[in-house]
Amino acid sequence: MSAFLHTSLDVVEEKISAVGKSLGDQRELYLGLLYPTEDYKVYGYVTNSKVKFVIVVDSSNTSLRDNEIRSMFRKLHNSFTDVMCNPFHNPGDPIQSKAFDGIVSGMMVQTG
Amino acid sequence: MSLSRAASLSPQGTLLSEVIPPSSWQKKQQNPPLPTGNRSRCPEQDVSICLLVALLQRILHAPAPGMDQESGAASAGSFISLNEHEQRYYSGLHSLCQADTSGQLSSGKVAELFKASQLPPEALHKVTEVCGAKRLGYFGTPQFYVALKLLAAAQSGLPIHLESVTANLPLPRFLGLKNEPEMRYSAVPPSIDSQGAQGGTAPGSLSWTPADRSAFRHLEANAEKKELWSPPRSPCGSPSRSPLTYRSYPYTKQRNGADSQIAYESKHSSQLEQHSSPSNYRTKATVEHPAMARASSSERLDQQGVVDYSDDDPWRITEEQLEYYTNQFKSLQPDLGALILGAIAKNFFTKSKLPIPELSHIWELSDVDRDGALTFSEFCTAFHLIVARKNGYPLPESLPPTLQPGFMQQEEDIPDTPESAEPLIVFEDTELRPNRLDRTIIERLQPSLATTKQDLKEESCKQDVGVKRVTTSQEKQTLQRAFPERPEPPHDLDPQMRTKTRPRSYSSTSFEDAMKKAEEPPTPPPRPQKTHSRASSLDLNKLFQQGAPGVKGGWLPPPPALPPRPTTSQEESSVKPEEQGLRSRFGRSTEDLTNASKQDMIGVSHSQAPQKPVRRKYHPESQNLEAVPPPAMPFAPPAKPAQKLLSGQKRGIQMAIRKNKETNAVLTRLNSELQQQLKVVHQERVTLESQLELLRPVAST
């Protein structure tokens, strides 16, 4: 499982390096379907501060559309910025915010 | 021996005729949940609290024969009778000295208590001997009560002898008790009547201050604390009943829930003189102020009636606490309306020695607008949570209603900047709303900006505070002007004011400085910008301001002496050419700005956009929203000051919207810049980490 995660991260890096030459403000944050395997799909999302979000979805769950994934990433990004705003949170530490966890769990439950 | 004697309580009607073996005492203690597992710093106090709770519970249920084991309240070597107050007092002292769950009292604490009674050591020895503790080797409850009685006797001059305890004695006096029997974290079921809560917690509240003091070592108000320490001492010194009773109130209130308190009040309304004092101390988070308030309120609250309680007592910030928080806020940030940056708040709250995850949680709870900085209300909330946490209250998962910013906002309006005092009075609730919105928006804007530029431009943030203050005053003056002049369409004005307030807060951002600087260079040469007669940096703003009156009445054929009403219709008719004129002017200014910088154009183009909705708002009938060739009429912005009323409003709104858009553009630019910087920093960090990893095996070899 973690191996897939790392491979997906490599794909994310590859995409970033390919696109990131322009360094424009409106660079595409949502990277789309990274790597469909038999088991699951991986979606990537990069923030402006190079923080990468990866969502791994079961392939059997075909009800998830691209828009839904985008909205999930958006919510994730928002709650992530909320966590970052906390001055007591050191970037790089595992996130201990209960609100963040709650939002993530809610999203996971919602998408089944 | 002591345990084998019965005791009879006084007129409260509890006849305790049974013995309290130590085992049963332990059993009693197990009934109420012992908060020993909590994070309180004084476990013995928690235990004592539980014990006292149990004791009181027993006292309450004293008429029931099954609870006779509570005779600890009154059992003694002999048949001593404790009156009601003695009973309470002794119970409190008993819990004070309780060290463990057994029936024995901590001899150290007892010794401390005895020393506090200021009796000579030989007298204390005598007391110990007479009450039977010496024989037993420990202080059981009966011995303790007898000892207290003997102490009282000794203090009143009677010989220390068993017969003395039968006399009617005043309560023994103790000075300088350090511990408090007050419970921080009440696991007591609300069934415990307030009657039991009256158990003598007299010294407990006194010791609250030193406990708080230690908790707040990091705070700078040391001198203040010492000052406040002395006033509570004086009432404590007197054996009078009132200080004891009112001190027992805080204990009561803090322990029991609202129900018990209310029951307590109804029962002892005659005796309870200071009903509201507990409400003041319900929140244990106060340090000096409650102590001071307690001392001072003992007389003040004599006449007060029943105070209504709410279920959020521990989470309600009292006025003393508010003062304290205000002072602390001022020490960090002189302006009450401004924000405390996240880093500053972090340093400040870290001094409270709470663990970082808890501080993080507190921050999440209190930073309601998620902007990375604390407004005054957010600061109060955070501070209150920290204080509550330090006193043993668990952190709530969500913000209690009394701590929410809306609740605090109402109090905030009062300590608002003095310059707004008059408008507040004039406009009352209509004013309050914009104030709140303004403040909320200012909070939201400034912290977000401040956070992003925290490391870069902290000075500019301070400037922003000053600017914000100025703009706030301007806003209020504008409102003041606007309201008395146009009271008819208040509903229409409100959204306008809101838009006004919102952008005005933007004006105080540091980005405004950048924007001003950016806008200043291109403004002078072009002709349409000659309208910027003032040298102020808000050139475009002034332009709009001057344009607004021009829009309204500058081009009216009739003289400007017309009243506002007809002017409106005339304005509508003349809107078209004026709008076009405005647009043309902006178009020219856009060209000039384009030469200067990209962002300025963005700002101006943004400013053009709000012009349309602004005009739309004033003139819904006018359909002209498209670019029309500029009229031949010269555009003299310093037009006739005919309709100052409407011009003021329009001007404000237009300016506000424009500022809003400008700030958006500036923020976008800044965001991109910061992101680039962040990327660079990240890369550096990764590089350093990789180097470190390379060096590590080298170092280990």
Side-chain angles (χ1 to χ4, degrees), chain B residues 147-287:
Chain B
L148 289 175
K149 271 273 188 178
L150 291 171
L151 286 174
Q155 281 176 349
S156 44
L158 296 176
I160 298 176
H161 209 58
L162 273 181
E163 286 81 15
S164 306
V165 300
T166 57
N168 263 343
L169 297 167
L171 292 168
R173 298 187 291 280
F174 300 95
L175 289 182
L177 286 174
K178 295 275 189 298
N179 299 326
E180 42 172 354
E182 289 172 337
M183 47 172 272
R184 307 168 165 205
Y185 186 44
S186 168
V188 174
S191 63
I192 290 181
D193 295 345
S194 49
Q195 190 175 5
Q198 269 186 353
T201 60
S205 57
L206 182 63
S207 53
W208 179 247
T209 312
D212 285 338
R213 192 190 336 189
S214 63
F216 285 89
R217 258 190 315 267
H218 62 285
L219 298 174
E220 299 88 285
N222 286 329
E224 210 178 338
K225 288 174 201 164
K226 282 169 195 149
E227 287 170 22
L228 290 161
W229 177 238
S230 41
R233 261 183 197 269
S234 48
C236 181
S238 68
S240 70
R241 188 175 306 172
S242 62
L244 296 177
T245 53
Y246 83 72
R247 257 182 250 123
S248 69
Y249 269 92
Y251 182 90
T252 305
K253 303 304 179 263
Q254 287 159 348
R255 277 190 33 225
N256 304 331
D259 304 335
S260 58
Q261 289 169 356
I262 293 170
Y264 185 38
E265 282 179 325
S266 59
K267 269 189 196 176
H268 307 276
S269 56
S270 61
Q271 292 178 5
L272 303 186
E273 298 148 347
Q274 300 88 6
H275 285 267
S276 54
S277 64
S279 67
N280 285 338
Y281 312 124
R282 191 164 305 115
T283 57
K284 299 182 175 188
T286 55
V287 186

Side-chain angles (χ1 to χ4, degrees), chain A residues 30 41 43 57 61-73 111:
Chain A
Y30 173 68
K41 301 184 193 133
Y43 295 93
V57 181
N61 188 356
T62 54
S63 61
L64 280 178
R65 294 192 310 273
D66 192 62
N67 283 337
E68 295 176 7
I69 302 285
R70 280 182 193 266
S71 68
M72 281 168 63
F73 274 125
T111 56

Side-chain angles (χ1 to χ4, degrees), chain A residues 25 48-49 82 86-87 97-98, chain B residues 346 360 363-364 672 675 678:
Chain A
D25 292 336
N48 283 326
S49 53
D82 289 342
N86 192 331
S97 155
K98 294 199 186 107
Chain B
K346 176 182 178 179
S360 178
W363 178 276
E364 277 184 22
S672 57
Q675 283 168 6
L678 183 58

Side-chain angles (χ1 to χ4, degrees), chain B residues 519-520 523 532 534-544:
Chain B
E519 290 164 13
E520 271 175 342
T523 50
H532 301 164
R534 304 185 214 183
S536 85
S537 56
L538 301 174
D539 285 332
L540 291 180
N541 295 336
K542 296 294 182 285
L543 184 71
F544 292 156

